[in-house]
Amino acid sequence: MACTREVAFGVNLIGNNGAAPADEASSLAGWAPVGSRTTLSAHVEKDDPPAAMLPAVDDGGREHRPSGSRYVLAARRDGEEDGLRHPVPAGALVPRVTYRVAGWVAVQSGGGEHAGGESHVVRVSLHVDDGGECRVLGCGAVCAGVAGGWVEINGAFRLKATPRGATAVHVHGAPAGVDVKLMDLRVFAADRKARFRHLKEKTDKVRKRDVVLKFSGGAGVEATASIPGAAVRVVQMDNVFPLGTCINGSVIQDPNFVDFFTNNFDWAVFENELKWYWTEAQRGLLNYRDADELLDFCDRHGKPARGHCIFWAVDGSVQQWIKDLGRDDLASAVRGRLTGLLSRYAGRFPHYDVNNEMLHGRFYRDRLGDDAAALMFREAARLDPAARLFVNDYNVECANDPNATPEKYIELIDALRRGGAAVGGVGIQGHVSNPSGEVICGALDKLAASTGLPIWITELDVSEPDVSLRADDLEVVLREAYAHPAVAGVVLWGFMQGRMWRQDASLVDADGTVNEAGQRLVNLRREWTSDARGTIDGDGHFTFRGYHGTYVVQVTTATGKILKTFTVDKGDTSLVLDVEI
């Protein structure tokens, strides 16, 4: 990653406000109130110190805990923009470098009219003065409860150019009458190279296994005796961890698209052609022709396809004729959609996103009741028992959307399960910009620990005009996903210039040229494919450590070459396989 000057990774650019200073004045050093009535004061946390909570993980895999128990309290706030600010030293922020924000926040009643609410949003923002024009970058947002304790806040930002004026970190967000507490906020340059080294070690444990091939001759002792010293090559044919992409009726007509798709992806998902507004734009006029053509294309190329999506919870994505229905007619239409779609394609789609983006939309729940989504899951499971049924939503991995925190996603899944929904997987869409690996990993950890479900990144695209940075950002997400034991697959939301939903996210240029981001994907796939060579030892064994997947082994003896296939499954112990040649 190119920088204009040397970067000190991991150094807190705003001091250490939680480092148990000697007196109150030093704990408040650098902090200033925001708001005409806001006051700041320093305190010592005695009841619920964050050090007892789960630690945050630093760039190289190191744990970071609060360095003390002092916190700053912002009281008498008159509005959501009021709070506290801390300047960032001039010249400290380097363009093109990803900076992380990490700390702990809490809220308490300050006596205002909104103070009694169950929870409130707290935000961290970076204010950048560029020659008199102030730009605000979101750096993290969480929901903190008045009756709850400390909540970890995380986020990331990156500057395109050196600021021409002052920069400062602001902590704010809760409404008037709510006091905001802040402990140990850190702003520091993220060392992606160190993080990648850590992830490679983690990947080796999560995705690989020791294998011992025990060779024996099929013609008895004489043939077996000639095996030691024979040349061996073990080549991985496929990886059990799938990478996929979305397709549509247009892109599959482009030979350049088809070539990159077939050579680099294992799964597909239809961009629009299976959505209800596409298959039944007008009531009673069904169109499955487009979905059938895409499914036939996938079948010809041996690519499974995700079913996206049965319903979409966001009001703006519901076609007008559905909105015009009364409650009973809407309930009937929902059942008709389930029966029509899942009966037609029973056994064809291994996955379904059942009611897309329920963290951001409530159309069916508001119209049909809180059980509507669970009913969709129950009926889908009855109509196509083999399909794995997913929840699917966006911003869960970015730590900057209070509507889509991992905790709220877990609450949604728990509610669905209580309603009898057979939730089979967690979809994280992954429409990201300037991703932070540690933030992504934290979200994955929480979801995995609380749900026990497989997680898929279902709609990954990385928007960044600078293709070199785009390649780095893509690598961040892919390495985090591949190194995490709960993640079972990644699907991109397209890859070709001019044929994607988001701008500045392509891996392949319009003329078919693979750009730097696309080459990064190719290189990672190559890195995650095992190829071992050597000779059979004196005991007739050949040992290697390989990624989970299907393999072919070639043994070259004096009488010729012999090919055998085998599979390396997940496991904590060495896999010992007998191979007769």
Side-chain angles (χ1 to χ4, degrees), residues 14 35 51 171 210 213 219 290 341 381 477 490 511 554:
I14 61 170
V171 182
D210 289 326
L213 301 179
D290 300 328
L341 180 70
V477 184
V490 174
D511 63 0
Q554 175 182 285

Side-chain angles (χ1 to χ4, degrees), residues 445-516:
D445 285 345
K446 292 174 183 178
L447 291 169
S450 295
T451 69
L453 293 170
I455 300 169
W456 280 61
I457 297 180
T458 54
E459 303 180 19
L460 174 62
D461 50 27
V462 179
S463 180
E464 167 55 52
D466 184 318
V467 70
S468 295
L469 286 178
R470 189 188 315 161
D472 292 342
D473 289 348
L474 179 65
E475 184 173 359
V476 166
V477 184
L478 291 177
R479 284 201 183 277
E480 292 294 340
Y482 196 60
H484 201 285
V487 179
V490 174
V491 179
L492 274 64
W493 204 244
F495 59 81
M496 198 159 195
Q497 183 182 29
R499 298 183 179 274
M500 297 183 67
W501 174 58
R502 292 179 82 200
Q503 297 295 315
D504 301 319
S506 66
L507 311 186
V508 178
D509 295 341
D511 63 0
T513 302
V514 179
N515 63 32
E516 187 174 346

Side-chain angles (χ1 to χ4, degrees), residues 304-327:
R306 302 190 74 249
H308 176 79
C309 52
I310 304 175
F311 301 100
W312 200 337
V314 177
D315 186 274
S317 298
V318 177
Q319 58 269 51
Q320 188 60 46
W321 72 261
I322 294 177
K323 294 180 181 180
D324 293 339
L325 297 176
R327 179 187 175 94

Side-chain angles (χ1 to χ4, degrees), residues 543-566:
T543 303
F544 73 100
R545 184 169 179 80
Y547 292 99
H548 308 143
T550 303
Y551 287 78
V552 60
V553 56
Q554 175 182 285
V555 181
T556 304
T557 66
T559 58
K561 296 180 179 180
I562 302 167
L563 299 176
K564 298 285 185 178
T565 60
F566 62 94

Side-chain angles (χ1 to χ4, degrees), residues 1-3 7 9 95-98 158 190-193 469 472:
M1 179 170 57
C3 303
V7 178
F9 294 108
R96 297 171 55 85
V97 173
T98 295
R158 183 166 62 212
D191 190 344
R192 285 182 164 181
K193 290 183 178 179
L469 286 178
D472 292 342

Side-chain angles (χ1 to χ4, degrees), residues 61-139:
R62 301 179 298 274
E63 292 183 352
H64 162 64
R65 292 177 180 270
S67 52
S69 57
R70 281 194 177 272
Y71 65 89
V72 178
L73 173 70
R76 301 182 65 189
R77 301 171 55 256
D78 282 338
E80 293 187 358
E81 295 304 316
D82 292 354
L84 60 165
R85 67 186 295 274
H86 196 296
V88 178
L93 298 178
V94 178
R96 297 171 55 85
V97 173
T98 295
Y99 289 87
R100 280 195 63 213
V101 174
W104 282 264
V105 297
V107 296
Q108 66 183 30
S109 174
E113 61 176 314
H114 299 291
E118 294 183 359
S119 64
H120 303 289
V121 176
V122 179
R123 301 180 185 274
V124 177
S125 304
L126 182 75
H127 287 217
V128 182
D129 183 356
D130 276 335
E133 179 183 352
C134 182
R135 291 189 295 112
V136 179
L137 304 179
C139 303

